[in-house]
């Protein structure tokens, strides 16, 4: 019956009866943009194709990993070749060793790593390892940074965030929240205060080196270096959550880009070419605490899955061969600088943050350098912008607080279409300067 339905609206109605909100990840319900979700039939290069047959220029790119575009022929061939040899072994194989080798070659701070199945698993496991090696319980995270949906990270600032956070989701216990401290991104003083009030209790700081989950916000000059110094001073580990930035900012991720070395790094979807995968890694002496070498338990039936490894190897080999980073950053700058001109001439109040090939258009604000400014963005206006762009065949991430991503497959024609659409939509938003 479902096979005959080729209409997004109808599919969503059926889905709502079968899955919470009709989706398998909340943002896909389009609730933040007041629209009905589009159902995708297939994707290729820079384009998504809906089940109705409409084509969209995609700036979501599966939330970042598809740096070489959708359905890259070399990656899909690698997956196909691997699939005919078996989709899962639950046993060791050559491809997982090769993927680990490629990652450690590109990211010198990762001497050893463990492959997992998602970014959530990677951050959750890195935190467990940090707690085990330091013998401490607490973790400092930043308001607005996202590290997946494990309990320790679903924490918001309560009245005493520097001494303990409060659960941001029902089902997270106050006990879990008590071990998570909230600091302000790009504000070193707030980190120092966390350490001062929790002396010898903090196992780690976890940070998105470039914030991507409150919209793109680059680290202020000296911020990441300052985190490194605070961790060293206080005997805590520094975890760079590079689920977005790893292999997108450059082969060495944000650590290389900003010249700051973390103790542990978490990676996600990009190292599986878009297939479900993640990893956490760092110095051998830390990783050798993981079972079976050490006592820190962490395991997974599908970890090191051969299809994900085959895709990841091909993805990394292509990135190493072509090093598309400068070109991608130039493309992003070319697109967003005309977008900025369009914004200025429209009279709509908005600003754009960009780092490498990722960017966010924030509405209703002049500049965004931290959480508070990001939160003052006009999400209603973003919703109207999103709907207008979608109507014109431009698929943006469906929430204000997300990053747009450019792939090597985006073309000049894609950008022209995007800029024409943007001008038209800005004109409908009127002036609120
Ligand atoms: N860390 C960061 C920085 C992320 O952006 C995400 C997801 O987007 C995660 C962790 C969680 O990854 P996953 O959705 O694969 O569990």
């Amino acid at each position: 019956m479902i096979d005959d339905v080729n209409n997004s609206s109808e599919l969503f109605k059926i889905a709502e009866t079968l899955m919470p909100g009709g989706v398998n990840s909340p943002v896909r319900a389009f609730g933040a943009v007041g629209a009905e979700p589009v159902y995708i039939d297939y994707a290729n290069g820079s384009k998504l194709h809906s089940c109705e047959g409409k084509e969209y220029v995609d700036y979501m790119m599966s939330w970042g990993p598809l740096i070489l575009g959708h359905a890259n022929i070399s990656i899909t061939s690698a997956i196909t070749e691997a699939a005919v040899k078996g989709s899962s072994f639950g046993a060791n194989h050559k491809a997982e060793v090769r993927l680990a080798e490629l990652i450690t070659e590109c990211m010198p701070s990762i001497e050893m790593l463990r492959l997992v199945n998602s970014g959530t698993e990677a951050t959750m496991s890195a935190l467990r390892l940090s707690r085990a090696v330091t013998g401490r319980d607490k973790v400092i995270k930043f308001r607005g940074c996202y590290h997946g949906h494990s309990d320790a990270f679903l924490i918001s600032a309560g009245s005493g965030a520097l001494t303990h956070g409060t659960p941001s989701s029902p089902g997270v216990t106050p006990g879990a929240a008590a071990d998570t401290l909230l600091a302000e991104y790009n504000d070193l003083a707030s980190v120092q205060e966390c350490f001062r009030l929790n002396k010898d209790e903090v196992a780690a700081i976890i940070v998105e080196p470039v914030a991507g989950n409150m919209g793109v916000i680059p680290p202020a000059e000296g911020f990441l270096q300052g985190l490194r110094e605070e961790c060293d001073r206080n005997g805590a580990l520094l975890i760079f959550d590079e689920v977005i930035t790893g292999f997108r900012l450059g082969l060495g991720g944000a650590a290389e880009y900003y010249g700051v070395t973390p103790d542990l790094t978490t990676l996600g979807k990009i190292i599986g070419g878009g297939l479900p995968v993640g990893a956490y890694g760092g110095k051998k002496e830390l990783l050798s605490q993981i079972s079976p070498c050490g006592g820190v338990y962490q395991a997974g039936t599908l970890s090191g899955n051969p299809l994900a490894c085959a895709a990841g190897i091909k993805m990394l080999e292509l990135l190493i061969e072509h090093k598309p980073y400068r070109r991608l950053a130039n493309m992003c700058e070319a697109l967003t600088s005309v977008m900025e001109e369009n914004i200025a001439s429209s009279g709509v109040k908005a600003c754009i943050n960009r780092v490498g090939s990722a960017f966010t258009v924030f509405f209703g604000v002049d500049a965004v350098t931290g959480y508070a400014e990001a939160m003052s963005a006009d999400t209603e206006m973003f919703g109207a912008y999103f709907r207008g762009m979608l109507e014109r065949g431009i698929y943006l991430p469906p929430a204000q607080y997300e990053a747009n991503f450019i792939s090597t497959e985006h073309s000049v024609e894609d950008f022209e279409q995007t800029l024409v659409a943007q001008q038209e939509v800005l004109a409908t938003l009127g002036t609120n300067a």
Side-chain angles (χ1 to χ4, degrees):
M1 169 211 175
I2 299 269
D3 282 352
D4 302 327
V5 182
N6 280 314
N7 175 281
S8 293
S9 202
E10 278 178 51
L11 280 169
F12 189 49
K13 278 194 186 69
I14 300 167
E16 281 180 302
T17 68
L18 298 168
M19 297 178 287
V23 295
N24 286 310
S25 199
V27 71
R28 296 182 201 168
F30 279 27
V33 287
E36 274 210 339
V38 175
Y39 276 71
I40 307 304
D41 180 20
Y42 70 97
N44 211 294
S46 60
K47 306 290 192 323
L48 291 171
H49 297 261
S50 75
C51 63
E52 291 89 356
K54 181 165 173 172
E55 183 182 271
Y56 297 88
V57 179
D58 184 15
Y59 288 96
M60 196 170 74
M61 301 313 288
S62 189
W63 304 96
L66 303 179
I67 193 163
L68 301 176
H70 290 280
N72 175 285
I73 186 71
S74 304
I75 297 175
T76 51
S77 303
I79 297 170
T80 313
E81 275 170 38
V84 294
K85 293 167 78 181
S87 57
S88 175
F89 308 135
N92 309 320
H93 57 98
K94 205 196 248 183
E96 65 186 355
V97 187
R98 175 67 181 143
L99 182 58
E101 184 180 58
L102 282 169
I103 294 169
T104 54
E105 279 168 9
C106 292
M107 299 187 155
S109 76
I110 303 183
E111 295 173 359
M112 194 178 252
L113 61 87
R114 173 61 64 79
L115 293 174
V116 292
N117 300 293
S118 67
T120 295
E121 264 189 72
T123 55
M124 180 182 84
S125 309
L127 176 57
R128 182 179 305 143
L129 176 58
S130 309
R131 286 173 165 159
V133 297
T134 58
R136 300 170 174 187
D137 292 345
K138 294 190 176 174
V139 60
I140 298 175
K141 82 173 279 286
F142 294 92
R143 284 210 295 165
C145 283
Y146 178 69
H147 305 291
H149 63 87
S150 72
D151 286 5
F153 301 126
L154 289 185
I155 307 296
S156 55
S159 53
L162 298 178
T163 44
H164 61 86
T166 54
S168 65
S169 162
V172 175
T173 64
D179 286 331
T180 302
L181 312 170
L182 274 290
E184 292 295 324
Y185 187 78
N186 277 340
D187 177 358
L188 273 180
S190 71
V191 176
Q192 287 158 349
E193 192 63 357
C194 280
F195 276 121
R196 196 182 65 77
L197 295 172
N198 299 272
K199 199 160 170 41
D200 299 333
E201 289 186 276
V202 177
I205 294 179
I206 187 165
V207 64
E208 290 181 72
V210 175
N213 286 287
M214 46 181 157
V216 170
I217 305 182
E221 176 94 40
F223 177 63
L224 298 176
Q225 188 59 46
L227 296 183
R228 177 69 276 168
E229 285 161 14
E230 288 306 323
C231 282
D232 292 344
R233 196 169 294 135
N234 291 282
L237 300 185
L238 179 60
I239 308 172
F240 274 4
D241 181 354
E242 297 231 35
V243 164
I244 289 182
T245 50
F247 294 99
R248 175 159 282 277
L249 269 188
L251 293 175
E256 179 186 62
Y257 195 85
Y258 293 104
V260 176
T261 306
D263 298 297
L264 292 172
T265 301
T266 54
L267 297 167
K269 40 216 172 188
I270 201 161
I271 58 160
L275 267 64
V277 78
Y280 63 103
K283 277 208 166 16
K284 274 193 182 133
E285 68 199 55
L286 295 177
L287 269 287
S288 55
Q289 302 300 314
I290 300 289
S291 180
C293 297
V296 184
Y297 192 70
Q298 185 272 308
T301 301
L302 290 172
S303 297
N305 173 267
L307 305 193
C309 288
I313 290 167
K314 187 49 76 181
M315 168 74 108
L316 298 196
E317 284 177 350
L318 290 169
L319 291 175
I320 290 165
E321 184 186 345
H322 298 293
K323 296 187 185 60
Y325 298 105
R326 185 171 302 225
R327 182 161 80 85
L328 281 166
N330 288 343
M331 285 165 68
C332 188
E333 173 145 20
L335 175 69
T336 54
S337 56
V338 184
M339 283 182 148
E340 281 167 337
E341 286 167 22
N342 287 348
I343 288 168
S345 56
S346 72
V348 169
K349 186 162 158 181
C351 67
I352 301 183
N353 279 359
R354 74 174 156 255
V355 177
S357 53
F359 71 94
T360 298
V361 184
F362 291 95
F363 284 89
V365 280
D366 291 320
V368 176
T369 60
Y371 180 78
E373 286 158 340
M375 289 308 116
S376 65
D378 186 339
T379 53
E380 291 292 318
M381 188 173 283
F382 175 80
Y385 176 71
F386 174 90
R387 295 189 297 274
M389 294 297 272
L390 193 69
E391 223 169 81
R392 290 162 178 80
I394 311 296
Y395 195 105
L396 305 176
Q400 166 70 93
Y401 300 117
E402 301 293 351
N404 294 256
F405 295 103
I406 288 171
S407 76
T408 53
E409 296 306 292
H410 282 83
S411 64
V412 171
E413 292 72 31
D414 291 338
F415 286 176
E416 281 168 0
Q417 186 186 339
T418 305
L419 291 166
V420 168
Q422 190 216 16
Q423 259 182 330
E424 287 175 10
V425 177
L426 286 172
T428 69
L429 297 181
T431 57
N432 73 334

